[in-house]
PDB file of all heavy atoms in Angstrom:
ATOM      1  N   VAL A 326      12.811 190.259  26.900  1.00 97.00           N
ATOM      2  CA  VAL A 326      14.169 189.745  26.682  1.00 97.00           C
ATOM      3  C   VAL A 326      15.224 190.868  26.586  1.00 97.00           C
ATOM      4  O   VAL A 326      16.360 190.585  26.223  1.00 97.00           O
ATOM      5  CB  VAL A 326      14.262 188.844  25.413  1.00 97.00           C
ATOM      6  CG1 VAL A 326      13.611 187.508  25.673  1.00 97.00           C
ATOM      7  CG2 VAL A 326      13.689 189.519  24.195  1.00 97.00           C
ATOM      8  N   ALA A 327      14.864 192.090  26.834  1.00 96.00           N
ATOM      9  CA  ALA A 327      15.846 193.177  26.768  1.00 96.00           C
ATOM     10  C   ALA A 327      16.587 193.206  28.113  1.00 96.00           C
ATOM     11  O   ALA A 327      16.001 193.132  29.176  1.00 96.00           O
ATOM     12  CB  ALA A 327      15.142 194.498  26.517  1.00 96.00           C
ATOM     13  N   ASP A 328      17.924 193.311  28.008  1.00 96.00           N
ATOM     14  CA  ASP A 328      18.779 193.489  29.181  1.00 96.00           C
ATOM     15  C   ASP A 328      18.587 192.379  30.192  1.00 96.00           C
ATOM     16  O   ASP A 328      18.412 192.628  31.372  1.00 96.00           O
ATOM     17  CB  ASP A 328      18.435 194.859  29.798  1.00 96.00           C
ATOM     18  CG  ASP A 328      19.515 195.304  30.753  1.00 96.00           C
ATOM     19  OD1 ASP A 328      20.624 194.760  30.712  1.00 96.00           O
ATOM     20  OD2 ASP A 328      19.239 196.178  31.580  1.00 96.00           O
ATOM     21  N   THR A 329      18.630 191.159  29.718  1.00 96.00           N
ATOM     22  CA  THR A 329      18.398 189.992  30.580  1.00 96.00           C
ATOM     23  C   THR A 329      19.278 188.822  30.130  1.00 96.00           C
ATOM     24  O   THR A 329      20.296 189.000  29.518  1.00 96.00           O
ATOM     25  CB  THR A 329      16.886 189.695  30.627  1.00 96.00           C
ATOM     26  OG1 THR A 329      16.696 188.599  31.508  1.00 96.00           O
ATOM     27  CG2 THR A 329      16.303 189.344  29.279  1.00 96.00           C
ATOM     28  N   ASP A 330      18.788 187.595  30.353  1.00 96.00           N
ATOM     29  CA  ASP A 330      19.517 186.401  29.989  1.00 96.00           C
ATOM     30  C   ASP A 330      18.834 185.787  28.792  1.00 96.00           C
ATOM     31  O   ASP A 330      17.700 185.304  28.912  1.00 96.00           O
ATOM     32  CB  ASP A 330      19.522 185.414  31.197  1.00 96.00           C
ATOM     33  CG  ASP A 330      20.391 184.205  30.981  1.00 96.00           C
ATOM     34  OD1 ASP A 330      20.960 184.071  29.880  1.00 96.00           O
ATOM     35  OD2 ASP A 330      20.505 183.397  31.922  1.00 96.00           O
ATOM     36  N   VAL A 331      19.477 185.791  27.630  1.00 97.00           N
ATOM     37  CA  VAL A 331      18.806 185.400  26.394  1.00 97.00           C
ATOM     38  C   VAL A 331      19.339 184.081  25.813  1.00 97.00           C
ATOM     39  O   VAL A 331      20.489 183.702  26.072  1.00 97.00           O
ATOM     40  CB  VAL A 331      18.921 186.517  25.313  1.00 97.00           C
ATOM     41  CG1 VAL A 331      18.200 187.761  25.788  1.00 97.00           C
ATOM     42  CG2 VAL A 331      20.380 186.774  25.013  1.00 97.00           C
ATOM     43  N   VAL A 332      18.501 183.448  25.048  1.00 98.00           N
ATOM     44  CA  VAL A 332      18.912 182.251  24.299  1.00 98.00           C
ATOM     45  C   VAL A 332      18.553 182.482  22.819  1.00 98.00           C
ATOM     46  O   VAL A 332      17.426 182.945  22.532  1.00 98.00           O
ATOM     47  CB  VAL A 332      18.183 180.996  24.827  1.00 98.00           C
ATOM     48  CG1 VAL A 332      18.537 179.768  23.969  1.00 98.00           C
ATOM     49  CG2 VAL A 332      18.559 180.737  26.258  1.00 98.00           C
ATOM     50  N   LEU A 333      19.465 182.193  21.944  1.00 98.00           N
ATOM     51  CA  LEU A 333      19.232 182.329  20.498  1.00 98.00           C
ATOM     52  C   LEU A 333      18.985 180.945  19.902  1.00 98.00           C
ATOM     53  O   LEU A 333      19.635 179.967  20.315  1.00 98.00           O
ATOM     54  CB  LEU A 333      20.428 182.969  19.757  1.00 98.00           C
ATOM     55  CG  LEU A 333      21.035 184.242  20.352  1.00 98.00           C
ATOM     56  CD1 LEU A 333      22.146 184.747  19.409  1.00 98.00           C
ATOM     57  CD2 LEU A 333      20.014 185.316  20.529  1.00 98.00           C
ATOM     58  N   TRP A 334      18.117 180.890  18.898  1.00 98.00           N
ATOM     59  CA  TRP A 334      17.833 179.672  18.188  1.00 98.00           C
ATOM     60  C   TRP A 334      18.005 179.982  16.680  1.00 98.00           C
ATOM     61  O   TRP A 334      17.531 181.036  16.246  1.00 98.00           O
ATOM     62  CB  TRP A 334      16.446 179.126  18.436  1.00 98.00           C
ATOM     63  CG  TRP A 334      16.080 178.959  19.880  1.00 98.00           C
ATOM     64  CD1 TRP A 334      15.853 179.933  20.809  1.00 98.00           C
ATOM     65  CD2 TRP A 334      15.882 177.709  20.578  1.00 98.00           C
ATOM     66  NE1 TRP A 334      15.523 179.350  22.024  1.00 98.00           N
ATOM     67  CE2 TRP A 334      15.495 177.999  21.896  1.00 98.00           C
ATOM     68  CE3 TRP A 334      15.941 176.348  20.174  1.00 98.00           C
ATOM     69  CZ2 TRP A 334      15.223 177.018  22.849  1.00 98.00           C
ATOM     70  CZ3 TRP A 334      15.625 175.364  21.095  1.00 98.00           C
ATOM     71  CH2 TRP A 334      15.271 175.708  22.422  1.00 98.00           C
ATOM     72  N   TYR A 335      18.557 179.064  15.934  1.00 98.00           N
ATOM     73  CA  TYR A 335      18.701 179.279  14.504  1.00 98.00           C
ATOM     74  C   TYR A 335      18.455 177.971  13.781  1.00 98.00           C
ATOM     75  O   TYR A 335      19.022 176.924  14.173  1.00 98.00           O
ATOM     76  CB  TYR A 335      20.092 179.845  14.161  1.00 98.00           C
ATOM     77  CG  TYR A 335      20.331 179.853  12.696  1.00 98.00           C
ATOM     78  CD1 TYR A 335      19.624 180.699  11.828  1.00 98.00           C
ATOM     79  CD2 TYR A 335      21.288 178.958  12.127  1.00 98.00           C
ATOM     80  CE1 TYR A 335      19.829 180.621  10.469  1.00 98.00           C
ATOM     81  CE2 TYR A 335      21.498 178.964  10.746  1.00 98.00           C
ATOM     82  CZ  TYR A 335      20.750 179.775   9.928  1.00 98.00           C
ATOM     83  OH  TYR A 335      20.939 179.726   8.586  1.00 98.00           O
ATOM     84  N   LYS A 336      17.694 178.028  12.723  1.00 98.00           N
ATOM     85  CA  LYS A 336      17.402 176.843  11.942  1.00 98.00           C
ATOM     86  C   LYS A 336      18.095 176.928  10.599  1.00 98.00           C
ATOM     87  O   LYS A 336      17.886 177.893   9.865  1.00 98.00           O
ATOM     88  CB  LYS A 336      15.893 176.704  11.710  1.00 98.00           C
ATOM     89  CG  LYS A 336      15.535 175.492  10.856  1.00 98.00           C
ATOM     90  CD  LYS A 336      14.021 175.413  10.545  1.00 98.00           C
ATOM     91  CE  LYS A 336      13.585 176.412   9.550  1.00 98.00           C
ATOM     92  NZ  LYS A 336      14.164 176.220   8.200  1.00 98.00           N
ATOM     93  N   GLY A 337      18.908 175.951  10.277  1.00 98.00           N
ATOM     94  CA  GLY A 337      19.525 175.849   8.954  1.00 98.00           C
ATOM     95  C   GLY A 337      18.803 174.764   8.138  1.00 98.00           C
ATOM     96  O   GLY A 337      17.973 174.053   8.680  1.00 98.00           O
ATOM     97  N   SER A 338      19.145 174.630   6.879  1.00 98.00           N
ATOM     98  CA  SER A 338      18.516 173.619   6.045  1.00 98.00           C
ATOM     99  C   SER A 338      19.534 173.013   5.062  1.00 98.00           C
ATOM    100  O   SER A 338      20.380 173.753   4.516  1.00 98.00           O
ATOM    101  CB  SER A 338      17.377 174.251   5.217  1.00 98.00           C
ATOM    102  OG  SER A 338      16.377 174.770   6.065  1.00 98.00           O
ATOM    103  N   ILE A 339      19.361 171.731   4.869  1.00 98.00           N
ATOM    104  CA  ILE A 339      20.138 171.045   3.833  1.00 98.00           C
ATOM    105  C   ILE A 339      19.139 170.386   2.889  1.00 98.00           C
ATOM    106  O   ILE A 339      18.359 169.512   3.325  1.00 98.00           O
ATOM    107  CB  ILE A 339      21.062 169.974   4.463  1.00 98.00           C
ATOM    108  CG1 ILE A 339      22.090 170.638   5.384  1.00 98.00           C
ATOM    109  CG2 ILE A 339      21.757 169.147   3.372  1.00 98.00           C
ATOM    110  CD1 ILE A 339      22.813 169.654   6.285  1.00 98.00           C
ATOM    111  N   HIS A 340      19.102 170.835   1.690  1.00 98.00           N
ATOM    112  CA  HIS A 340      18.176 170.286   0.685  1.00 98.00           C
ATOM    113  C   HIS A 340      18.843 169.126  -0.014  1.00 98.00           C
ATOM    114  O   HIS A 340      19.841 169.308  -0.723  1.00 98.00           O
ATOM    115  CB  HIS A 340      17.812 171.398  -0.331  1.00 98.00           C
ATOM    116  CG  HIS A 340      16.792 170.997  -1.316  1.00 98.00           C
ATOM    117  ND1 HIS A 340      17.089 170.858  -2.628  1.00 98.00           N
ATOM    118  CD2 HIS A 340      15.491 170.744  -1.192  1.00 98.00           C
ATOM    119  CE1 HIS A 340      15.997 170.492  -3.308  1.00 98.00           C
ATOM    120  NE2 HIS A 340      14.987 170.409  -2.429  1.00 98.00           N
ATOM    121  N   HIS A 341      18.328 167.926   0.206  1.00 98.00           N
ATOM    122  CA  HIS A 341      19.005 166.749  -0.352  1.00 98.00           C
ATOM    123  C   HIS A 341      18.172 166.195  -1.527  1.00 98.00           C
ATOM    124  O   HIS A 341      17.155 165.526  -1.317  1.00 98.00           O
ATOM    125  CB  HIS A 341      19.173 165.674   0.739  1.00 98.00           C
ATOM    126  CG  HIS A 341      19.969 164.490   0.220  1.00 98.00           C
ATOM    127  ND1 HIS A 341      20.254 163.399   0.997  1.00 98.00           N
ATOM    128  CD2 HIS A 341      20.580 164.232  -0.969  1.00 98.00           C
ATOM    129  CE1 HIS A 341      20.928 162.518   0.307  1.00 98.00           C
ATOM    130  NE2 HIS A 341      21.123 163.017  -0.900  1.00 98.00           N
ATOM    131  N   HIS A 342      18.600 166.543  -2.708  1.00 97.00           N
ATOM    132  CA  HIS A 342      17.979 166.007  -3.918  1.00 97.00           C
ATOM    133  C   HIS A 342      18.880 164.839  -4.329  1.00 97.00           C
ATOM    134  O   HIS A 342      20.002 165.057  -4.816  1.00 97.00           O
ATOM    135  CB  HIS A 342      17.998 167.135  -4.985  1.00 97.00           C
ATOM    136  CG  HIS A 342      17.262 166.761  -6.209  1.00 97.00           C
ATOM    137  ND1 HIS A 342      16.940 167.668  -7.202  1.00 97.00           N
ATOM    138  CD2 HIS A 342      16.749 165.575  -6.642  1.00 97.00           C
ATOM    139  CE1 HIS A 342      16.279 167.052  -8.164  1.00 97.00           C
ATOM    140  NE2 HIS A 342      16.150 165.808  -7.834  1.00 97.00           N
ATOM    141  N   PRO A 343      18.389 163.603  -4.111  1.00 97.00           N
ATOM    142  CA  PRO A 343      19.261 162.449  -4.321  1.00 97.00           C
ATOM    143  C   PRO A 343      19.798 162.424  -5.764  1.00 97.00           C
ATOM    144  O   PRO A 343      19.187 162.885  -6.714  1.00 97.00           O
ATOM    145  CB  PRO A 343      18.314 161.263  -4.072  1.00 97.00           C
ATOM    146  CG  PRO A 343      17.310 161.805  -3.132  1.00 97.00           C
ATOM    147  CD  PRO A 343      17.052 163.248  -3.588  1.00 97.00           C
ATOM    148  N   ARG A 344      20.976 161.863  -5.871  1.00 97.00           N
ATOM    149  CA  ARG A 344      21.654 161.762  -7.162  1.00 97.00           C
ATOM    150  C   ARG A 344      22.367 160.418  -7.222  1.00 97.00           C
ATOM    151  O   ARG A 344      22.546 159.748  -6.240  1.00 97.00           O
ATOM    152  CB  ARG A 344      22.634 162.908  -7.324  1.00 97.00           C
ATOM    153  CG  ARG A 344      23.560 163.076  -6.126  1.00 97.00           C
ATOM    154  CD  ARG A 344      24.464 164.297  -6.267  1.00 97.00           C
ATOM    155  NE  ARG A 344      25.505 164.219  -5.244  1.00 97.00           N
ATOM    156  CZ  ARG A 344      26.703 164.781  -5.350  1.00 97.00           C
ATOM    157  NH1 ARG A 344      26.994 165.463  -6.440  1.00 97.00           N
ATOM    158  NH2 ARG A 344      27.579 164.674  -4.394  1.00 97.00           N
ATOM    159  N   ASP A 345      22.737 160.063  -8.421  1.00 97.00           N
ATOM    160  CA  ASP A 345      23.360 158.765  -8.614  1.00 97.00           C
ATOM    161  C   ASP A 345      24.659 158.629  -7.798  1.00 97.00           C
ATOM    162  O   ASP A 345      25.036 157.544  -7.418  1.00 97.00           O
ATOM    163  CB  ASP A 345      23.668 158.525 -10.099  1.00 97.00           C
ATOM    164  CG  ASP A 345      22.419 158.301 -10.888  1.00 97.00           C
ATOM    165  OD1 ASP A 345      21.336 158.045 -10.268  1.00 97.00           O
ATOM    166  OD2 ASP A 345      22.454 158.414 -12.134  1.00 97.00           O
ATOM    167  N   GLU A 346      25.261 159.753  -7.502  1.00 97.00           N
ATOM    168  CA  GLU A 346      26.495 159.720  -6.667  1.00 97.00           C
ATOM    169  C   GLU A 346      26.231 159.241  -5.244  1.00 97.00           C
ATOM    170  O   GLU A 346      27.136 158.926  -4.483  1.00 97.00           O
ATOM    171  CB  GLU A 346      27.132 161.120  -6.602  1.00 97.00           C
ATOM    172  CG  GLU A 346      27.790 161.576  -7.892  1.00 97.00           C
ATOM    173  CD  GLU A 346      26.829 162.244  -8.861  1.00 97.00           C
ATOM    174  OE1 GLU A 346      25.590 162.099  -8.702  1.00 97.00           O
ATOM    175  OE2 GLU A 346      27.289 162.902  -9.811  1.00 97.00           O
ATOM    176  N   ASP A 347      24.903 159.221  -4.837  1.00 97.00           N
ATOM    177  CA  ASP A 347      24.603 158.814  -3.487  1.00 97.00           C
ATOM    178  C   ASP A 347      24.687 157.279  -3.276  1.00 97.00           C
ATOM    179  O   ASP A 347      24.911 156.839  -2.145  1.00 97.00           O
ATOM    180  CB  ASP A 347      23.186 159.242  -3.095  1.00 97.00           C
ATOM    181  CG  ASP A 347      23.009 160.744  -3.006  1.00 97.00           C
ATOM    182  OD1 ASP A 347      24.049 161.447  -3.037  1.00 97.00           O
ATOM    183  OD2 ASP A 347      21.869 161.209  -2.915  1.00 97.00           O
ATOM    184  N   GLY A 348      24.445 156.565  -4.335  1.00 97.00           N
ATOM    185  CA  GLY A 348      24.508 155.098  -4.191  1.00 97.00           C
ATOM    186  C   GLY A 348      23.505 154.426  -5.130  1.00 97.00           C
ATOM    187  O   GLY A 348      22.971 155.043  -6.036  1.00 97.00           O
ATOM    188  N   GLU A 349      23.301 153.140  -4.894  1.00 96.00           N
ATOM    189  CA  GLU A 349      22.434 152.356  -5.771  1.00 96.00           C
ATOM    190  C   GLU A 349      21.913 151.175  -4.970  1.00 96.00           C
ATOM    191  O   GLU A 349      22.415 150.783  -3.934  1.00 96.00           O
ATOM    192  CB  GLU A 349      23.242 151.839  -6.984  1.00 96.00           C
ATOM    193  CG  GLU A 349      24.440 151.023  -6.523  1.00 96.00           C
ATOM    194  CD  GLU A 349      25.419 150.731  -7.662  1.00 96.00           C
ATOM    195  OE1 GLU A 349      24.985 150.667  -8.816  1.00 96.00           O
ATOM    196  OE2 GLU A 349      26.589 150.541  -7.366  1.00 96.00           O
TER     197      GLU A 349
END
Side-chain angles (χ1 to χ4, degrees):
Chain A
V326 286
D328 196 18
T329 182
D330 186 357
V331 295
V332 175
L333 311 184
W334 306 71
Y335 170 67
K336 180 183 74 64
S338 300
I339 297 166
H340 184 248
H341 185 181
H342 187 169
R344 51 185 192 152
D345 290 344
E346 287 86 345
D347 293 348
E349 58 191 332

